[in-house]
Amino acid sequence: AQTVTQSQPEMSVQEAETVTLSCTYDTSESDYYLFWYKQPPSRQMILVIRQEAYKQQNATENRFSVNFQKAAKSFSLKISDSQLGDAAMYFCAYRTPNTGNQFYFGTGTSLTVIP
Amino acid sequence: GAGVSQSPSNKVTEKGKDVELRCDPISGHTALYWYRQSLGQGLEFLIYFQGNSAPDKSGLPSDRFSAERTGGSVSTLTIQRTQQEDSAVYLCASSTGQGRNYGYTFGSGTRLTVV
């Protein structure tokens, strides 16, 4: 069974500082993809960053980067130079092409950015 | 349309009534997904459509829940005899379903409140 765990229900960061959100997952598959989604109060889920499991290089999108540790099944999100607009719920998600197209989501981390 | 559109945005219904939630995916997206997000919880998979067929209905919580998709486009999620535990945000997402690294595009959801 595939599971995604986010152990930090809430996190806070000072504006302009760096914060890391944790995510672990459990799978027996070798071919899979990992994602971080952001959900602001508008409720719309916005894709932040994605990582292919077969790639060793960590994905980076501007101020957002991941630390992908495949052996440890860990996929953390680092937000650098935090901005007020980064405040939202962040969900870690997993997908494998080997069990259909379903995404598995963690329970989310609520990020507060302190001015 | 430019994005995934869901209607209504908010719905309050009395216990025991039936409700229909609508999702308009991005034009050309063949895959469509419904998820449920209860307060403080992650996203719970409900059903997935590829075209008009639903190869995976495993997430529907009971036989009071059903969904259909017509013309490979609009989808309707129907909840019969609503219960208070059905109160949640219902999110729809669509994707091309192509390629190995696709992500979802989400709508803004329908917040259902059963009173």
Side-chain angles (χ1 to χ4, degrees), chain B residues 1-106:
Chain B
V4 178
S5 177
Q6 289 189 247
S7 60
S9 178
N10 293 282
K11 175 73 176 178
V12 180
T13 190
E14 292 181 353
K15 178 181 172 181
K17 294 284 181 68
D18 297 352
V19 294
E20 285 188 353
L21 312 180
R22 177 187 169 106
C23 173
D24 243 307
I26 290 175
S27 178
H29 278 194
T30 57
L32 186 147
Y33 310 80
W34 284 98
Y35 282 81
R36 178 168 71 175
Q37 185 178 19
S38 302
L39 186 64
Q41 300 296 312
L43 277 71
E44 174 190 3
F45 171 78
L46 297 179
I47 190 169
Y48 151 64
F49 287 92
Q50 180 61 43
N52 290 336
S53 64
D56 190 348
K57 303 180 182 179
S58 62
L60 294 177
S62 75
D63 59 8
R64 296 186 296 105
F65 287 72
S66 63
E68 65 175 14
R69 188 179 185 195
T70 55
S73 182
V74 173
S75 176
T76 302
L77 177 69
T78 301
I79 309 173
Q80 296 178 310
R81 305 180 303 281
T82 51
Q83 304 294 313
Q84 288 185 329
E85 61 263 28
D86 299 333
S87 296
V89 174
Y90 289 82
L91 288 164
C92 175
S94 70
S95 77
T96 62
Q98 304 287 333
R100 299 179 61 79
N101 193 20
Y102 66 83
Y104 289 167
T105 301
F106 280 88

Side-chain angles (χ1 to χ4, degrees), chain A residues 31-65:
Chain A
D31 184 12
Y32 56 89
Y33 304 88
L34 296 163
F35 303 80
W36 278 97
Y37 278 88
K38 169 185 176 181
Q39 186 181 42
S42 67
R43 298 199 303 247
Q44 185 158 18
M45 300 279 281
I46 301 165
L47 179 64
V48 174
I49 197 167
R50 59 185 156 203
Q51 172 84 41
E52 298 94 327
Y54 63 85
K55 287 189 176 179
Q56 294 194 358
Q57 185 174 6
N58 290 324
T60 299
E61 289 287 342
N62 300 313
R63 297 182 296 106
F64 298 88
S65 62

